[in-house]
Amino acid sequence: MTDADAVPAMPDPAAMRKQYRTEGLAETDLAATPVEQFARWFKQAAVEAHMFEPNAMIVSTVDAEGRPSSRTVLLKHFDEQGFVFYTNYDSRKGRDLGGNPHVSLLFPWHPMARQVIVHGVARRTGRDETAAYFRSRPHGSQLGAWASAQSSVIAGRAGLEASYAELEARYPEGEQVPVPPHWGGFRVAPHTVEFWQGRENRLHDRLRYDARPDGSWRVERLAP
C-alpha cells in the first residue's frame, strides 16, 4: 500500500480548537428586553453573516420518565410573547410538551461564535394562528404534515411515499389542504434568555436575562 492509498487518520476531537477573537458583549450593549436583543443578533446572523438557516434551533424536552431528547426545529415567529415553532402534536416532542411544558431552545450560531439559549414554558398556539401559518406553507409541506405520523416507527420509505402520493392525488396543486387536527404550533414564553459570545482564551461573555414577577428583566453575567 502506498502513502496515497493510506486511510486518513481519524481527527482527534480533543485537538480541535478555535481561538475566538470577536468583539465582546457588555451589559451596556444590551437591549431592554431579550426579544429585542435576539432580534438584533438574528438580523446580524441572517443579513450580515448570511448564515444558513439562522432560524434553526435545538429544542430539548423531557418525557414522563425524566429522559431528555433534542432535535433541530425551525423558528417561525418571535415577539415579546415568545418563540414559535410548528410540529405534529403526536410526535415525541409534542407528547413530551403535553406532559411537561418546560423546554429549552438553543440557537447555535457557530460561524459568529454566538449562542442564544432560551428556557421557558411551551403552550399550543390557537387554531386560527396555526391555520394561518399552515396556509402559508408550500403545498408539498402541507401534504407532508398529513403523510407522516412523525416519530412513529415505519416499515420503510415506500409506505411513506405511497401515502404522500395518495394525498397528492386527492389534493392536487391549487386545491386547499385541510389543516391536520394533530398538527400545530407551540409558543415558548421565555423565563431566561442567555446571550453567549465567544472570546479569547475561553473567557466568553455570557449575559442572561431573568424574568421578574412584575414582567421586567434582570440581567446577570455568568462565569464562562
Side-chain angles (χ1 to χ4, degrees):
M1 178 182 293
T2 66
D3 290 343
D5 296 326
V7 176
M10 177 66 71
D12 179 7
M16 294 179 177
R17 294 185 179 86
K18 293 290 185 182
Q19 183 68 283
Y20 304 132
R21 299 183 182 277
T22 54
E23 294 182 2
L25 180 65
E27 286 81 348
T28 54
D29 297 330
L30 294 178
T33 72
V35 173
E36 288 180 52
Q37 182 62 34
F38 179 84
R40 290 180 185 176
W41 273 22
F42 184 77
K43 182 178 180 181
Q44 290 172 0
V47 178
E48 298 175 20
H50 303 289
M51 280 184 53
F52 176 74
E53 292 191 331
N55 59 328
M57 59 185 184
I58 299 168
V59 177
S60 298
T61 57
V62 176
D63 68 11
E65 282 72 46
R67 295 172 299 193
S69 61
S70 300
R71 73 289 290 163
T72 301
V73 175
L74 296 179
L75 174 73
K76 289 302 177 182
H77 178 72
F78 66 91
D79 56 26
E80 291 296 338
Q81 280 66 56
F83 301 82
V84 179
F85 66 92
Y86 292 86
T87 189
N88 186 317
Y89 288 141
D90 295 329
S91 66
R92 179 171 181 175
K93 59 184 170 298
R95 296 194 306 271
D96 284 357
L97 292 173
N100 183 349
H102 293 277
V103 62
S104 172
L105 312 178
L106 168 62
F107 294 86
W109 294 333
H110 301 309
M112 304 177 72
R114 286 178 173 176
Q115 301 179 71
V116 180
I117 304 101
V118 179
H119 292 105
V121 172
R123 301 285 185 235
R124 291 189 181 190
T125 58
R127 292 310 291 174
D128 288 346
E129 184 176 356
T130 289
Y133 172 69
F134 187 80
R135 301 279 178 243
S136 75
R137 303 181 91 205
H139 181 72
S141 296
Q142 294 182 23
L143 297 178
W146 279 103
S148 173
Q150 195 176 77
S151 299
S152 64
V153 176
I154 60 176
R157 187 171 180 85
L160 181 66
E161 293 180 344
S163 177
Y164 182 90
E166 180 182 333
L167 287 160
E168 193 173 30
R170 189 186 312 171
Y171 302 107
E173 191 77 43
E175 186 87 8
Q176 180 168 292
V177 181
V179 182
H182 56 271
W183 188 94
F186 281 105
R187 173 173 283 101
V188 178
H191 291 172
T192 68
V193 185
E194 178 184 333
F195 292 86
W196 184 102
Q197 175 67 71
R199 298 294 300 276
E200 288 185 294
N201 303 314
R202 297 300 186 261
L203 298 179
H204 313 305
D205 286 324
R206 298 177 60 191
L207 297 182
R208 183 178 66 191
Y209 291 80
D210 276 291
R212 289 173 166 156
D214 64 1
S216 64
W217 296 91
R218 176 179 67 250
V219 174
E220 299 174 319
R221 177 174 285 271
L222 305 180

